[in-house]
mmCIF file of all heavy atoms in Angstrom:
data_model
loop_
_atom_site.group_PDB
_atom_site.id
_atom_site.type_symbol
_atom_site.label_atom_id
_atom_site.label_comp_id
_atom_site.label_asym_id
_atom_site.label_seq_id
_atom_site.Cartn_x
_atom_site.Cartn_y
_atom_site.Cartn_z
ATOM 1 N N ALA T 1 -7.173 8.781 2.010
ATOM 2 C CA ALA T 1 -7.953 8.595 0.781
ATOM 3 C C ALA T 1 -7.203 7.704 -0.210
ATOM 4 O O ALA T 1 -7.803 6.857 -0.890
ATOM 5 C CB ALA T 1 -8.267 9.946 0.141
ATOM 6 N N LEU T 2 -5.898 7.859 -0.282
ATOM 7 C CA LEU T 2 -5.102 7.036 -1.188
ATOM 8 C C LEU T 2 -5.105 5.578 -0.746
ATOM 9 O O LEU T 2 -5.197 4.670 -1.585
ATOM 10 C CB LEU T 2 -3.665 7.582 -1.254
ATOM 11 C CG LEU T 2 -2.683 6.829 -2.145
ATOM 12 C CD1 LEU T 2 -3.239 6.612 -3.548
ATOM 13 C CD2 LEU T 2 -1.350 7.561 -2.192
ATOM 14 N N GLU T 3 -5.014 5.332 0.540
ATOM 15 C CA GLU T 3 -5.084 3.955 1.027
ATOM 16 C C GLU T 3 -6.450 3.349 0.711
ATOM 17 O O GLU T 3 -6.542 2.164 0.361
ATOM 18 C CB GLU T 3 -4.807 3.915 2.528
ATOM 19 C CG GLU T 3 -3.348 4.190 2.873
ATOM 20 C CD GLU T 3 -3.066 4.049 4.353
ATOM 21 O OE1 GLU T 3 -4.002 4.240 5.152
ATOM 22 O OE2 GLU T 3 -1.911 3.742 4.701
ATOM 23 N N GLY T 4 -7.507 4.147 0.820
ATOM 24 C CA GLY T 4 -8.825 3.659 0.429
ATOM 25 C C GLY T 4 -8.881 3.304 -1.042
ATOM 26 O O GLY T 4 -9.477 2.296 -1.433
ATOM 27 N N LEU T 5 -8.238 4.111 -1.875
ATOM 28 C CA LEU T 5 -8.196 3.832 -3.308
ATOM 29 C C LEU T 5 -7.403 2.550 -3.587
ATOM 30 O O LEU T 5 -7.777 1.747 -4.460
ATOM 31 C CB LEU T 5 -7.563 5.022 -4.028
ATOM 32 C CG LEU T 5 -7.950 5.272 -5.490
ATOM 33 C CD1 LEU T 5 -9.450 5.471 -5.635
ATOM 34 C CD2 LEU T 5 -7.187 6.469 -6.028
ATOM 35 N N LEU T 6 -6.333 2.336 -2.843
ATOM 36 C CA LEU T 6 -5.546 1.112 -3.001
ATOM 37 C C LEU T 6 -6.354 -0.117 -2.590
ATOM 38 O O LEU T 6 -6.255 -1.172 -3.226
ATOM 39 C CB LEU T 6 -4.261 1.203 -2.181
ATOM 40 C CG LEU T 6 -3.174 2.122 -2.754
ATOM 41 C CD1 LEU T 6 -2.128 2.463 -1.702
ATOM 42 C CD2 LEU T 6 -2.514 1.463 -3.969
ATOM 43 N N ARG T 7 -7.151 0.008 -1.546
ATOM 44 C CA ARG T 7 -8.000 -1.121 -1.148
ATOM 45 C C ARG T 7 -9.038 -1.427 -2.226
ATOM 46 O O ARG T 7 -9.305 -2.593 -2.538
ATOM 47 C CB ARG T 7 -8.674 -0.815 0.190
ATOM 48 C CG ARG T 7 -7.754 -0.950 1.393
ATOM 49 C CD ARG T 7 -8.498 -0.874 2.701
ATOM 50 N NE ARG T 7 -8.958 0.477 2.988
ATOM 51 C CZ ARG T 7 -8.250 1.372 3.677
ATOM 52 N NH1 ARG T 7 -7.050 1.070 4.137
ATOM 53 N NH2 ARG T 7 -8.754 2.570 3.915
ATOM 54 N N LYS T 8 -9.608 -0.389 -2.817
ATOM 55 C CA LYS T 8 -10.580 -0.602 -3.890
ATOM 56 C C LYS T 8 -9.920 -1.229 -5.104
ATOM 57 O O LYS T 8 -10.514 -2.084 -5.776
ATOM 58 C CB LYS T 8 -11.243 0.724 -4.262
ATOM 59 C CG LYS T 8 -12.179 1.266 -3.198
ATOM 60 C CD LYS T 8 -12.759 2.618 -3.580
ATOM 61 C CE LYS T 8 -13.678 3.151 -2.471
ATOM 62 N NZ LYS T 8 -14.214 4.488 -2.791
ATOM 63 N N ALA T 9 -8.695 -0.823 -5.399
ATOM 64 C CA ALA T 9 -7.988 -1.394 -6.545
ATOM 65 C C ALA T 9 -7.789 -2.893 -6.371
ATOM 66 O O ALA T 9 -8.025 -3.675 -7.299
ATOM 67 C CB ALA T 9 -6.648 -0.688 -6.729
ATOM 68 N N VAL T 10 -7.359 -3.305 -5.191
ATOM 69 C CA VAL T 10 -7.142 -4.734 -4.950
ATOM 70 C C VAL T 10 -8.466 -5.483 -4.950
ATOM 71 O O VAL T 10 -8.588 -6.563 -5.549
ATOM 72 C CB VAL T 10 -6.389 -4.945 -3.621
ATOM 73 C CG1 VAL T 10 -6.313 -6.428 -3.271
ATOM 74 C CG2 VAL T 10 -4.982 -4.353 -3.707
ATOM 75 N N ARG T 11 -9.479 -4.901 -4.312
ATOM 76 C CA ARG T 11 -10.793 -5.564 -4.226
ATOM 77 C C ARG T 11 -11.404 -5.773 -5.610
ATOM 78 O O ARG T 11 -11.979 -6.818 -5.898
ATOM 79 C CB ARG T 11 -11.730 -4.732 -3.353
ATOM 80 C CG ARG T 11 -13.100 -5.383 -3.122
ATOM 81 C CD ARG T 11 -14.004 -4.460 -2.320
ATOM 82 N NE ARG T 11 -13.323 -3.926 -1.154
ATOM 83 C CZ ARG T 11 -13.265 -2.638 -0.851
ATOM 84 N NH1 ARG T 11 -13.853 -1.735 -1.631
ATOM 85 N NH2 ARG T 11 -12.632 -2.242 0.227
ATOM 86 N N HIS T 12 -11.241 -4.790 -6.488
ATOM 87 C CA HIS T 12 -11.856 -4.856 -7.807
ATOM 88 C C HIS T 12 -10.883 -5.317 -8.893
ATOM 89 O O HIS T 12 -11.202 -5.224 -10.078
ATOM 90 C CB HIS T 12 -12.445 -3.493 -8.169
ATOM 91 C CG HIS T 12 -13.559 -3.059 -7.258
ATOM 92 N ND1 HIS T 12 -14.780 -3.693 -7.208
ATOM 93 C CD2 HIS T 12 -13.607 -2.069 -6.327
ATOM 94 C CE1 HIS T 12 -15.553 -3.102 -6.306
ATOM 95 N NE2 HIS T 12 -14.861 -2.121 -5.752
ATOM 96 N N ARG T 13 -9.717 -5.782 -8.485
ATOM 97 C CA ARG T 13 -8.740 -6.387 -9.390
ATOM 98 C C ARG T 13 -8.290 -5.413 -10.479
ATOM 99 O O ARG T 13 -8.099 -5.794 -11.626
ATOM 100 C CB ARG T 13 -9.279 -7.679 -10.007
ATOM 101 C CG ARG T 13 -9.680 -8.717 -8.983
ATOM 102 C CD ARG T 13 -10.188 -10.007 -9.608
ATOM 103 N NE ARG T 13 -9.144 -10.713 -10.325
ATOM 104 C CZ ARG T 13 -9.232 -11.020 -11.604
ATOM 105 N NH1 ARG T 13 -10.282 -10.667 -12.318
ATOM 106 N NH2 ARG T 13 -8.245 -11.674 -12.195
ATOM 107 N N VAL T 14 -8.091 -4.156 -10.087
ATOM 108 C CA VAL T 14 -7.520 -3.177 -11.004
ATOM 109 C C VAL T 14 -6.004 -3.321 -10.953
ATOM 110 O O VAL T 14 -5.415 -3.221 -9.867
ATOM 111 C CB VAL T 14 -7.926 -1.744 -10.599
ATOM 112 C CG1 VAL T 14 -7.261 -0.719 -11.517
ATOM 113 C CG2 VAL T 14 -9.436 -1.590 -10.630
ATOM 114 N N PRO T 15 -5.335 -3.591 -12.056
ATOM 115 C CA PRO T 15 -3.878 -3.733 -12.026
ATOM 116 C C PRO T 15 -3.213 -2.531 -11.359
ATOM 117 O O PRO T 15 -3.476 -1.377 -11.732
ATOM 118 C CB PRO T 15 -3.507 -3.839 -13.506
ATOM 119 C CG PRO T 15 -4.714 -4.464 -14.138
ATOM 120 C CD PRO T 15 -5.875 -3.865 -13.401
ATOM 121 N N THR T 16 -2.371 -2.816 -10.373
ATOM 122 C CA THR T 16 -1.795 -1.770 -9.531
ATOM 123 C C THR T 16 -0.299 -1.990 -9.393
ATOM 124 O O THR T 16 0.158 -3.107 -9.173
ATOM 125 C CB THR T 16 -2.449 -1.782 -8.135
ATOM 126 O OG1 THR T 16 -3.851 -1.519 -8.280
ATOM 127 C CG2 THR T 16 -1.822 -0.733 -7.224
ATOM 128 N N LEU T 17 0.454 -0.909 -9.535
ATOM 129 C CA LEU T 17 1.899 -0.953 -9.333
ATOM 130 C C LEU T 17 2.265 0.174 -8.379
ATOM 131 O O LEU T 17 2.010 1.347 -8.658
ATOM 132 C CB LEU T 17 2.635 -0.779 -10.663
ATOM 133 C CG LEU T 17 4.162 -0.846 -10.603
ATOM 134 C CD1 LEU T 17 4.639 -2.185 -10.050
ATOM 135 C CD2 LEU T 17 4.763 -0.594 -11.987
ATOM 136 N N ALA T 18 2.856 -0.172 -7.230
ATOM 137 C CA ALA T 18 3.174 0.794 -6.184
ATOM 138 C C ALA T 18 4.674 0.759 -5.915
ATOM 139 O O ALA T 18 5.242 -0.316 -5.680
ATOM 140 C CB ALA T 18 2.391 0.476 -4.911
ATOM 141 N N VAL T 19 5.310 1.938 -5.941
ATOM 142 C CA VAL T 19 6.765 2.043 -5.877
ATOM 143 C C VAL T 19 7.197 2.725 -4.586
ATOM 144 O O VAL T 19 6.726 3.822 -4.264
ATOM 145 C CB VAL T 19 7.293 2.831 -7.095
ATOM 146 C CG1 VAL T 19 8.804 3.007 -7.007
ATOM 147 C CG2 VAL T 19 6.911 2.139 -8.400
ATOM 148 N N CYS T 20 8.091 2.090 -3.843
ATOM 149 C CA CYS T 20 8.720 2.598 -2.628
ATOM 150 C C CYS T 20 7.666 3.061 -1.618
ATOM 151 O O CYS T 20 6.993 2.235 -1.024
ATOM 152 C CB CYS T 20 9.728 3.696 -2.952
ATOM 153 S SG CYS T 20 10.908 3.971 -1.601
ATOM 154 N N LEU T 21 7.494 4.367 -1.406
ATOM 155 C CA LEU T 21 6.440 4.832 -0.512
ATOM 156 C C LEU T 21 5.097 4.261 -0.934
ATOM 157 O O LEU T 21 4.279 3.876 -0.082
ATOM 158 C CB LEU T 21 6.387 6.360 -0.517
ATOM 159 C CG LEU T 21 5.195 7.006 0.190
ATOM 160 C CD1 LEU T 21 5.243 6.752 1.686
ATOM 161 C CD2 LEU T 21 5.136 8.501 -0.114
ATOM 162 N N GLY T 22 4.849 4.186 -2.236
ATOM 163 C CA GLY T 22 3.600 3.602 -2.718
ATOM 164 C C GLY T 22 3.427 2.173 -2.251
ATOM 165 O O GLY T 22 2.329 1.757 -1.869
ATOM 166 N N ALA T 23 4.509 1.398 -2.272
ATOM 167 C CA ALA T 23 4.444 0.011 -1.810
ATOM 168 C C ALA T 23 4.165 -0.049 -0.318
ATOM 169 O O ALA T 23 3.415 -0.919 0.160
ATOM 170 C CB ALA T 23 5.753 -0.709 -2.132
ATOM 171 N N GLN T 24 4.756 0.871 0.430
ATOM 172 C CA GLN T 24 4.500 0.916 1.869
ATOM 173 C C GLN T 24 3.037 1.256 2.150
ATOM 174 O O GLN T 24 2.419 0.681 3.042
ATOM 175 C CB GLN T 24 5.435 1.929 2.513
ATOM 176 C CG GLN T 24 6.906 1.546 2.427
ATOM 177 C CD GLN T 24 7.831 2.668 2.847
ATOM 178 O OE1 GLN T 24 7.394 3.759 3.193
ATOM 179 N NE2 GLN T 24 9.131 2.402 2.801
ATOM 180 N N LEU T 25 2.480 2.184 1.383
ATOM 181 C CA LEU T 25 1.070 2.527 1.549
ATOM 182 C C LEU T 25 0.176 1.353 1.161
ATOM 183 O O LEU T 25 -0.848 1.099 1.804
ATOM 184 C CB LEU T 25 0.731 3.757 0.708
ATOM 185 C CG LEU T 25 1.336 5.073 1.195
ATOM 186 C CD1 LEU T 25 1.190 6.152 0.116
ATOM 187 C CD2 LEU T 25 0.683 5.531 2.487
ATOM 188 N N LEU T 26 0.545 0.637 0.105
ATOM 189 C CA LEU T 26 -0.217 -0.534 -0.306
ATOM 190 C C LEU T 26 -0.224 -1.580 0.797
ATOM 191 O O LEU T 26 -1.274 -2.162 1.118
ATOM 192 C CB LEU T 26 0.394 -1.119 -1.589
ATOM 193 C CG LEU T 26 -0.217 -2.416 -2.117
ATOM 194 C CD1 LEU T 26 -1.673 -2.224 -2.525
ATOM 195 C CD2 LEU T 26 0.609 -2.950 -3.298
ATOM 196 N N ALA T 27 0.938 -1.814 1.405
ATOM 197 C CA ALA T 27 1.022 -2.784 2.496
ATOM 198 C C ALA T 27 0.212 -2.311 3.706
ATOM 199 O O ALA T 27 -0.577 -3.075 4.278
ATOM 200 C CB ALA T 27 2.480 -3.008 2.890
ATOM 201 N N GLY T 28 0.408 -1.055 4.104
ATOM 202 C CA GLY T 28 -0.292 -0.538 5.268
ATOM 203 C C GLY T 28 -1.797 -0.522 5.098
ATOM 204 O O GLY T 28 -2.545 -0.754 6.055
ATOM 205 N N ALA T 29 -2.262 -0.283 3.871
ATOM 206 C CA ALA T 29 -3.707 -0.241 3.612
ATOM 207 C C ALA T 29 -4.354 -1.605 3.766
ATOM 208 O O ALA T 29 -5.575 -1.691 3.915
ATOM 209 C CB ALA T 29 -3.956 0.295 2.206
ATOM 210 N N HIS T 30 -3.538 -2.671 3.744
ATOM 211 C CA HIS T 30 -4.079 -4.028 3.818
ATOM 212 C C HIS T 30 -3.618 -4.768 5.061
ATOM 213 O O HIS T 30 -3.572 -6.000 5.086
ATOM 214 C CB HIS T 30 -3.703 -4.800 2.550
ATOM 215 C CG HIS T 30 -4.402 -4.282 1.333
ATOM 216 N ND1 HIS T 30 -3.911 -3.237 0.588
ATOM 217 C CD2 HIS T 30 -5.577 -4.655 0.753
ATOM 218 C CE1 HIS T 30 -4.744 -2.992 -0.412
ATOM 219 N NE2 HIS T 30 -5.752 -3.824 -0.332
ATOM 220 N N GLY T 31 -3.266 -4.018 6.106
ATOM 221 C CA GLY T 31 -2.944 -4.646 7.379
ATOM 222 C C GLY T 31 -1.487 -4.920 7.610
ATOM 223 O O GLY T 31 -1.126 -5.510 8.638
ATOM 224 N N GLY T 32 -0.613 -4.529 6.680
ATOM 225 C CA GLY T 32 0.814 -4.672 6.900
ATOM 226 C C GLY T 32 1.324 -3.594 7.851
ATOM 227 O O GLY T 32 0.590 -2.696 8.259
ATOM 228 N N LEU T 33 2.594 -3.675 8.190
ATOM 229 C CA LEU T 33 3.189 -2.741 9.140
ATOM 230 C C LEU T 33 4.407 -2.083 8.516
ATOM 231 O O LEU T 33 5.295 -2.762 7.990
ATOM 232 C CB LEU T 33 3.597 -3.467 10.421
ATOM 233 C CG LEU T 33 4.156 -2.607 11.559
ATOM 234 C CD1 LEU T 33 3.126 -1.589 12.027
ATOM 235 C CD2 LEU T 33 4.608 -3.489 12.718
ATOM 236 N N VAL T 34 4.438 -0.749 8.573
ATOM 237 C CA VAL T 34 5.562 0.037 8.066
ATOM 238 C C VAL T 34 6.156 0.809 9.241
ATOM 239 O O VAL T 34 5.431 1.447 10.006
ATOM 240 C CB VAL T 34 5.118 1.001 6.953
ATOM 241 C CG1 VAL T 34 6.318 1.781 6.416
ATOM 242 C CG2 VAL T 34 4.426 0.239 5.826
ATOM 243 N N GLU T 35 7.488 0.735 9.381
ATOM 244 C CA GLU T 35 8.168 1.393 10.489
ATOM 245 C C GLU T 35 9.499 1.949 10.015
ATOM 246 O O GLU T 35 9.960 1.655 8.903
ATOM 247 C CB GLU T 35 8.416 0.397 11.627
ATOM 248 C CG GLU T 35 7.164 -0.245 12.205
ATOM 249 C CD GLU T 35 7.491 -1.304 13.225
ATOM 250 O OE1 GLU T 35 7.999 -2.381 12.831
ATOM 251 O OE2 GLU T 35 7.250 -1.052 14.418
ATOM 252 N N ARG T 36 10.131 2.735 10.865
ATOM 253 C CA ARG T 36 11.492 3.176 10.576
ATOM 254 C C ARG T 36 12.407 1.952 10.555
ATOM 255 O O ARG T 36 12.400 1.137 11.470
ATOM 256 C CB ARG T 36 11.955 4.178 11.641
ATOM 257 C CG ARG T 36 13.365 4.731 11.459
ATOM 258 C CD ARG T 36 13.594 5.390 10.118
ATOM 259 N NE ARG T 36 12.654 6.414 9.773
ATOM 260 C CZ ARG T 36 12.838 7.713 10.008
ATOM 261 N NH1 ARG T 36 13.936 8.123 10.604
ATOM 262 N NH2 ARG T 36 11.927 8.594 9.626
ATOM 263 N N GLY T 37 13.173 1.810 9.492
ATOM 264 C CA GLY T 37 14.010 0.637 9.338
ATOM 265 C C GLY T 37 15.114 0.579 10.377
ATOM 266 O O GLY T 37 15.782 1.586 10.647
ATOM 267 N N THR T 38 15.320 -0.594 10.952
ATOM 268 C CA THR T 38 16.356 -0.748 11.979
ATOM 269 C C THR T 38 17.742 -0.921 11.379
ATOM 270 O O THR T 38 18.739 -0.818 12.093
ATOM 271 C CB THR T 38 16.032 -1.959 12.874
ATOM 272 O OG1 THR T 38 15.930 -3.130 12.060
ATOM 273 C CG2 THR T 38 14.727 -1.736 13.615
ATOM 274 N N SER T 39 17.829 -1.188 10.080
ATOM 275 C CA SER T 39 19.128 -1.396 9.439
ATOM 276 C C SER T 39 19.697 -0.127 8.834
ATOM 277 O O SER T 39 20.733 -0.171 8.177
ATOM 278 C CB SER T 39 18.995 -2.463 8.334
ATOM 279 O OG SER T 39 18.630 -3.707 8.879
ATOM 280 N N GLY T 40 19.031 0.999 9.065
ATOM 281 C CA GLY T 40 19.518 2.262 8.538
ATOM 282 C C GLY T 40 19.082 2.495 7.102
ATOM 283 O O GLY T 40 18.508 1.621 6.453
ATOM 284 N N PRO T 41 19.354 3.687 6.580
ATOM 285 C CA PRO T 41 18.941 4.006 5.215
ATOM 286 C C PRO T 41 19.597 3.080 4.197
ATOM 287 O O PRO T 41 20.740 2.627 4.378
ATOM 288 C CB PRO T 41 19.420 5.451 5.026
ATOM 289 C CG PRO T 41 19.601 5.977 6.417
ATOM 290 C CD PRO T 41 20.026 4.799 7.242
#
């Protein structure tokens, strides 16, 4: 549901700021890829 809300925000040009996990969800909601980092924490 949150990813759907992020897609609506971008589609309707609602100013959006996504932090860390939020940024990953924003990317994933729009076709990006989030994975376990290979460089470690």
Side-chain angles (χ1 to χ4, degrees):
L2 179 51
E3 289 184 333
L5 207 58
L6 286 164
R7 284 190 288 269
K8 290 177 181 178
V10 173
R11 184 184 312 128
H12 296 293
R13 302 181 67 238
V14 177
T16 299
L17 182 59
V19 177
C20 199
L21 170 66
Q24 295 170 359
L25 290 167
L26 176 63
H30 291 86
L33 184 61
V34 182
E35 301 175 289
R36 180 56 54 94
T38 58
S39 297

